[in-house]
Amino acid sequence: MAAEGTGICAGRVVAVTGAGRGLGRAHALAFAAEGARVVVNDLGVGLDGTPAADSPAERVAEEIRGAGGEAVAHAGDIATSEGAASLVATALDAFGRLDTLVNNAGFLRDRMLVNLDEDDWDAVVRVHLKGHFLPLRYAAGHWRAETKAGRPPRARVVNTSSGAGLLGSVGQANYAAAKAGILALTLVAAAELARYGVQVNALAPAARTRMTERTFAATMAAPRDDGFDAMAPENVSPLVVWLGSPACEGVTGRVFEAEAGRITVMEGWRPGPTAEKPARRNPAEAGEAARALLASATAPLPVHGTAPDPP
């Protein structure tokens, strides 16, 4: 498959979680097309996280091998220590190394906040947030050991957040909270792992997948007359491949949005207007200062799913 691309990832070993369908599958195929050997992880569950009968990871691995690439399937649960550790072990056993980790696995259990029960909260936070932490933890442990052995890697991690994590999303409190947590995890990991040659970035993609087709069905653009499908998952993968390659040297701790042909660097929390007083305020004074600051602050972007104000 490398001959079809630029070879930007030639020789690298890449593990992609949730790679049986949608964005993960597109990423796995794109890495393989650029010369990478790929570990295709997918637990094979349904949209809500319940077990399914098929093995999408093996299908994608077979697709890569059928096109001349190298790939192995991994069906472990990466939100468990055993599954995350075995993901790294699979890469080492099959290909002798691990260079890039793409954390992508996830599912939805959407409810309005007053109807969201504890099980739905725990399940979504587990697979998205814990399912990012554990593979990152075990991959980082391997890369630290490599550094201490005198073999410093040029390792890359690409985490998957969402516009819901950046702005919030009505009916998705569990998902939005997990995706926001992934952004903070990305910042911490980038700072802590730089000494081991690891770069960590995050992506907030917008594309047509099993997770989004029902939620955003009314707003997703149809393919244009020229055949370009703006919401195809494959549009997001080139940025992921670049972030997973040596070519992105020096880029770490950043968050990108990607949709169709658009790439945006997101700029997170920064100090805005500030009021100083060399003494403690009473509540009324604190409120007066806050009101004045809000009047000069930039208004936040709307939460996804909120209706615009009436004219």
Side-chain angles (χ1 to χ4, degrees):
M1 295 187 74
E4 298 177 11
T6 63
I8 195 174
C9 286
R12 291 181 74 79
V13 174
V14 179
V16 185
T17 71
R21 303 178 179 89
L23 282 165
R25 174 182 174 274
H27 300 340
L29 294 175
F31 273 109
E34 294 296 339
R37 294 167 287 174
V38 185
V39 179
V40 181
N41 162 267
D42 203 288
L43 190 56
V45 299
L47 184 59
D48 63 352
T50 56
D54 61 352
S55 176
E58 183 56 40
R59 285 205 309 269
V60 175
E62 288 177 357
E63 187 175 356
I64 291 171
R65 292 192 295 265
E70 296 182 64
V72 295
H74 177 267
D77 182 356
I78 46 79
T80 66
S81 289
E82 180 182 7
S86 71
L87 175 69
V88 175
T90 296
L92 300 180
D93 291 344
F95 303 122
R97 59 187 297 128
L98 176 63
D99 301 289
T100 296
L101 169 65
V102 179
N103 284 315
N104 171 77
F107 62 78
L108 296 175
R109 289 188 183 176
D110 293 351
R111 302 284 190 279
M112 298 300 285
L113 189 59
V114 296
N115 296 321
L116 182 61
D117 64 36
E118 187 174 359
D119 288 344
D120 289 334
W121 174 274
D122 288 346
V124 169
V125 171
R126 174 186 178 275
V127 72
H128 286 278
L129 189 52
K130 192 175 181 182
H132 271 62
F133 159 65
L134 285 174
L136 176 55
R137 160 70 180 81
Y138 284 97
H142 165 68
W143 290 323
R144 180 180 64 176
E146 287 291 285
T147 299
K148 290 184 175 181
R151 299 184 295 268
R154 299 178 73 185
R156 305 289 187 261
V157 178
V158 184
N159 291 331
T160 306
S161 184
S162 167
L166 294 164
L167 299 174
S169 180
V170 170
Q172 294 187 308
N174 48 2
Y175 176 74
K179 289 302 192 183
I182 288 168
L183 297 174
L185 176 63
T186 298
L187 300 180
V188 173
E192 291 186 357
L193 302 181
R195 71 185 73 180
Y196 306 124
V198 184
Q199 294 181 187
V200 187
N201 294 285
L203 183 76
R208 185 190 306 104
T209 69
R210 288 195 307 166
M211 286 177 52
T212 61
E213 62 185 358
R214 287 187 293 182
T215 305
F216 302 114
T219 59
M220 283 190 170
R224 297 188 317 215
D225 291 341
D226 64 3
F228 178 65
D229 183 354
M231 299 311 298
E234 290 77 9
N235 299 331
V236 175
S237 298
L239 178 60
V240 176
V241 171
W242 183 78
L243 289 172
S245 77
C248 75
E249 185 67 34
V251 179
T252 193
R254 304 307 294 261
V255 179
F256 298 84
E257 276 193 333
E259 176 184 354
R262 177 175 59 84
I263 296 172
T264 302
V265 177
M266 303 304 291
E267 297 181 340
W269 294 106
R270 298 171 180 271
T274 303
E276 297 281 358
K277 180 179 180 179
R280 183 182 301 138
R281 294 181 172 89
N282 63 40
E285 291 171 333
E288 182 179 355
R291 290 279 188 189
L293 293 173
L294 289 169
S296 59
T298 301
L301 294 173
V303 172
H304 289 298
T306 54
D309 293 333

